[in-house]
Amino acid sequence: MTTADPVRTGAPERTPAALPDPPVPTGDFRADSAALTGHAERGEEVLAGLGPKPDRSPEQQARADAVHRSCRWLRARFMAAHATRLYDELTAGRTVPLRIGELAQAAADRVPGLVPDKAQLAAEAAGPQAHKEGREIDQAIFFRAVLSLPGPGAHLLESMRRPTARAVSLLPEFRRQGSLDLGAVRVARRDGVAYVTLANTHCLNAEDNGLTVDLETAVDLALLDDDVRVGALRGAEMTHPRYAGRRVFSAGINLKHLHQGLISYVDFLLGRELGYISKLVRGLVPKDGPAAWPNLSVQKPWAAGVDAFAIGGGMQVLLVLDRVVAGADAWFSLPAAQEGIVPGAGNLRLTRITGARTARRVLLGGQRLRASSAEGLLICDEVVEPQDVGAALERGAAELAADAVVGNRRMLHVAEEPEEAFRGYMAEFAFTQGLRLYSEDVLAKVGRSWSGTDGVRG
């Protein structure tokens, strides 16, 4: 006699016990930490009983969503009550500069259940975006709370603007040789200019986790090298069949990687804004001490030469540079409505540059701006024939080498984008982007439109 299959006989599915209501934080750090950990553990038990996300029925997924809402409500309440205490504990009273990935891991160790631990993140990384539990949303709750606070938020922004360990280790070699191939990015010093070449050539310089790491390293090297006065960005010649042999600036985020679950919330979506883009704007934070005074940051001017197009993240970078030259056939776009995610700090900066109506047409309506158009000339400073972009970039970089440029660009940024305004924007961006990354419309778009392609546009 064999045991009957409950599915075939119509027997009800075995379901885990329901998750009890979350406890209300009391204001006591230890008690609230223990309560959060306990509630999160019970939530994990319920999720485990529901099976992997792609195998769940609609009813099971609804139960899983309810578990996540309950735990996330408690996480948000915990951070509202204890974010300052927790941040100060993790950073030894704001004396230890932790990058966002290090900070999130330290939080996972200190208060289990608050943010995903290494094992949970590894499990998430093993599948496509649509199959994940969305644990990066828990990181978004954490970083929103930290960045919302003037003290901890400012300290975190400064920590992210310190040189990376990789750049520090490569600096002697770069100073000696004057050039380095970092993988997806190349950097070479010539006549006081650090030429940073984006070389993700197989995918039209589409941005991914690896390109972001290499680009931050290159920016650090340019800022750390005393023989560099100006930085210059340009795309390499492509190997992609649609643009083989032609230079391209950037096709934006790699949407195929997004579909495959390879785009990290911390390392890419948040890390690029607080990392290399912030360093382009405000420079590096040096080690404190008399030798560093009066330089509160190590800043240098930046220029770019745009070939073909600057889409998404590529256009976002142009909004913070000091001089942009573009080929007459080039165009710019921030296709937020198409992709479904927030285009970094583009929403913060584009309105200031183009005005509100144009910004809405670009961000909400997907309008492309031709470099030679009146609106395109708000994004770039000079339009030249496509074959002359390189020469124009060299001229523009040379003009930025004047001694007074650094001080004046610093004051422009103080006037245009105070650090407190940026911090406040990034707090809401951190949360909104985490939610958008796992929203149903984004998962449907990347699965339908990009799973079978090379993940780039142009």
Side-chain angles (χ1 to χ4, degrees), residues 2 31 68 153 196 215 233 413 426 440:
T2 60
H68 285 306
V196 177
L215 191 47
L233 301 170
H413 290 138
M426 289 309 302
E440 291 185 6

Side-chain angles (χ1 to χ4, degrees), residues 270-356:
L270 192 56
R272 68 188 292 275
E273 301 299 328
L274 303 185
Y276 85 82
I277 295 181
S278 284
K279 291 172 178 179
L280 291 174
V281 177
R282 295 183 174 87
L284 294 175
V285 174
K287 290 184 178 179
D288 192 18
W293 194 91
N295 294 317
L296 302 178
S297 64
V298 179
Q299 294 194 28
K300 293 175 184 177
W302 287 87
V306 180
D307 302 274
F309 45 75
I311 304 174
M315 182 176 173
Q316 293 167 35
V317 170
L318 302 184
L319 302 180
V320 305
L321 302 184
D322 303 293
R323 186 167 182 85
V324 177
V325 300
D329 60 344
W331 51 273
F332 320 115
S333 74
L334 286 172
Q338 180 184 6
E339 295 169 357
I341 57 178
V342 180
N347 305 60
L348 174 66
R349 294 164 177 151
L350 188 63
T351 298
R352 182 181 73 236
I353 294 170
T354 67

Side-chain angles (χ1 to χ4, degrees), residues 142-153 420 423-424 426-428:
F142 173 80
F143 284 113
R144 181 197 200 185
V146 171
L147 288 166
S148 294
L149 297 167
E420 280 298 284
R423 180 187 58 77
M426 289 309 302
E428 292 309 308

Side-chain angles (χ1 to χ4, degrees), residues 60 63 81 125 128 149 155 163 240 261 271 289 311 321 363 381 384 387-388 411 434 438 443 451:
Q60 288 173 321
R63 291 195 63 193
L149 297 167
H155 184 266
H240 188 285
I311 304 174
L321 302 184
L363 291 164
D381 301 282
V384 298
Q387 68 271 16
D388 296 331
M411 298 313 298
Y438 290 94
L443 297 178
S451 59

Side-chain angles (χ1 to χ4, degrees), residues 424-458:
Y425 176 90
M426 289 309 302
E428 292 309 308
F429 168 81
F431 184 65
T432 301
Q433 190 75 302
L435 294 178
R436 294 306 305 157
L437 188 58
Y438 290 94
S439 61
E440 291 185 6
D441 63 304
V442 170
L443 297 178
K445 286 176 181 177
V446 298
R448 180 176 63 251
S449 303
W450 304 107
S451 59
T453 73
D454 55 13
V456 298
R457 297 145 301 190

Side-chain angles (χ1 to χ4, degrees), residues 39 65 67-77 133-138 141 435:
H39 191 69
D65 292 341
V67 168
H68 285 306
R69 282 194 300 272
S70 177
C71 292
R72 286 168 184 158
W73 177 87
L74 182 55
R75 291 178 182 115
R77 293 292 296 270
E133 290 288 352
R135 298 188 187 278
E136 289 171 310
I137 295 174
D138 304 332
I141 295 169
L435 294 178

